[in-house]
Amino acid sequence: MVNLEWFRTFKTIYETGSLTGAAEALYVSQPGISLHLSSLEAYVGHKLFDRSSRKLLPTERGKLLYNYILEALNKLEEAEEHFHRSTEAERPTVSVGMCFETFQFTLEPYLPTLPFNVIIKFGEYPEMLSDLDAGILDLIITPQKGDYPQLKYEPFFKERIVVVGGAKTNTAKFKKLLKADDKQGILDWLKSQIWYGTTGDMEHLRRFWFNNFDKRPNFKPNYIVPNICSILRCLSVGDGIAVVPDFLAKQELDEGKVRLIWEGSKIHENTLYFGTRKKCMYEQEIAKVKEIFLRKMVKAD
């Protein structure tokens, strides 16, 4: 049976070009290096280095073996370094999934104050639910619930989906259409505006549109930007409109950088949930993260 140390030795000889260099790099005696190499050559049935020169040169079979094992060995060495037992007291590590904007609005300013490690992952909600169930994530902030028996959901906030506009957006005509309850006029005015959207999520626009007009939007935004924060920055210096969760725009609305254009004829709200596994070893750490969200969301409400 092959010894994995033979592969490590072979890789180091390949990269240093000598038995002496490999021995120094691995803190092993040179006879030990020679033994590993000869054992591996006997196992594979081929000479792996040409010893005719002062520097060991890989044979064609040696080059092939090196390229074949390199990625796997690098992964194993990374794992060894990451999981090596340390004499220092280890800090717990909690993995949290949420959308980028929610992270910026809530958790980002508080990360340096937390007495444990935090890994933040952004992604689509179905993927987050799957990662939570698999143990890759410990907590997710989600408006969606999945069919996973081992997960539990705790509602903590309702976000209202609204239309916001730039401070320079002229809404005089739109206000008259709202007052007259002219549904077709409202629809036409909205469609005639400059629209902003995000690369990763058009769900807010689609749901808001269907909720108010009983159909999907039949237009594309004029500007597609990375995230809602980008939308708000763009709107704050010009005109145009976008559909966003109200709490994410609270600061810009309070400062007058953007304006609330319309909440819709039918209010559209999403319930946000803390998603966790029913059994988790980081209950105390998760509770601290939840506390930050609750404090920030109460302020935004």
Side-chain angles (χ1 to χ4, degrees):
M1 183 175 177
V2 69
N3 186 329
L4 287 177
E5 285 301 316
W6 299 350
F7 286 130
R8 191 202 296 260
T9 299
F10 164 75
K11 172 178 174 287
T12 309
I13 295 171
Y14 191 102
E15 292 172 350
T16 61
S18 70
L19 299 178
T20 303
E24 291 174 354
L26 295 174
Y27 302 100
V28 178
S29 67
Q30 188 167 324
I33 293 293
S34 296
L35 178 61
H36 283 182
L37 178 57
S38 60
S39 298
L40 182 60
E41 288 181 326
Y43 181 82
V44 300
H46 294 277
K47 188 167 71 167
L48 299 174
F49 291 98
D50 182 358
R51 297 170 177 78
S52 61
S53 61
R54 292 181 60 188
K55 184 174 182 179
L56 293 181
L57 298 175
T59 63
E60 289 303 314
R61 184 66 65 164
K63 294 176 183 177
L64 182 64
L65 179 62
Y66 177 81
N67 289 321
Y68 197 84
I69 67 170
L70 180 61
E71 184 177 354
L73 276 179
N74 286 340
K75 286 285 186 184
L76 285 172
E77 288 172 356
E78 287 176 15
E80 181 183 34
E81 182 177 348
H82 184 75
F83 291 102
H84 181 67
R85 179 182 297 174
S86 172
T87 55
E88 300 176 3
E90 289 194 12
R91 287 161 57 104
T93 298
V94 176
S95 298
V96 186
M98 69 190 81
C99 76
F100 174 77
E101 294 86 0
T102 301
F103 167 69
Q104 279 200 316
F105 183 80
T106 55
L107 195 56
E108 185 179 49
Y110 295 91
L111 277 183
T113 70
L114 295 174
F116 49 86
N117 302 328
V118 178
I119 298 173
I120 303 295
K121 182 177 180 182
F122 308 123
E124 301 295 326
Y125 295 118
E127 180 188 0
M128 289 187 199
L129 288 163
S130 177
D131 286 349
L132 180 62
D133 184 61
I136 298 171
L137 294 173
D138 302 301
L139 168 69
I140 63 173
I141 311 302
T142 175
Q144 300 177 13
K145 296 193 289 185
D147 187 19
Y148 295 94
Q150 299 307 313
L151 303 186
K152 60 181 179 179
Y153 306 93
E154 177 187 346
F156 70 95
F157 187 76
K158 285 187 181 294
E159 60 177 9
R160 181 169 294 185
I161 309 303
V162 298
V163 179
V164 297
K168 298 179 182 178
T169 302
N170 188 338
T171 60
K173 181 179 178 181
F174 187 66
K175 289 178 180 178
K176 292 179 180 178
L177 294 169
L178 287 177
K179 190 173 182 180
D181 196 23
D182 183 349
K183 190 169 184 178
Q184 185 59 49
I186 291 170
L187 176 63
D188 292 339
W189 186 89
L190 289 171
K191 289 174 62 176
S192 70
Q193 301 304 300
I194 298 295
W195 277 88
Y196 285 84
T198 62
T199 52
D201 183 16
M202 301 297 291
E203 192 63 23
H204 292 316
L205 174 59
R206 285 193 290 266
R207 293 196 176 193
F208 182 89
W209 209 261
F210 193 84
N211 195 47
N212 285 281
F213 303 113
D214 298 317
K215 57 185 175 182
R216 294 167 65 90
N218 59 352
F219 64 93
K220 293 182 179 179
N222 303 87
Y223 301 113
I224 303 292
V225 297
N227 50 62
I228 292 174
C229 299
S230 298
I231 289 177
L232 295 172
R233 284 194 292 269
C234 290
L235 290 178
S236 68
V237 294
D239 59 5
I241 60 178
V243 170
V244 301
D246 59 347
F247 81 93
L248 291 177
K250 184 180 188 307
Q251 180 176 342
E252 288 78 4
L253 288 167
D254 289 346
E255 294 174 354
K257 293 180 178 179
V258 300
R259 299 159 59 188
L260 178 63
I261 302 295
W262 192 36
E263 292 187 330
S265 56
K266 300 176 185 175
I267 299 299
H268 177 48
E269 292 182 329
N270 289 327
T271 299
L272 294 182
Y273 299 90
F274 293 129
T276 56
R277 289 185 300 282
K278 291 179 180 177
K279 294 182 180 179
C280 181
M281 61 187 296
Y282 299 120
E283 294 291 347
Q284 291 183 346
E285 290 78 13
I286 289 173
K288 286 185 178 295
V289 176
K290 287 181 178 179
E291 181 185 347
I292 291 172
F293 273 88
L294 291 171
R295 190 162 64 242
K296 288 290 291 185
M297 295 305 198
V298 166
K299 252 191 217 181
D301 201 358

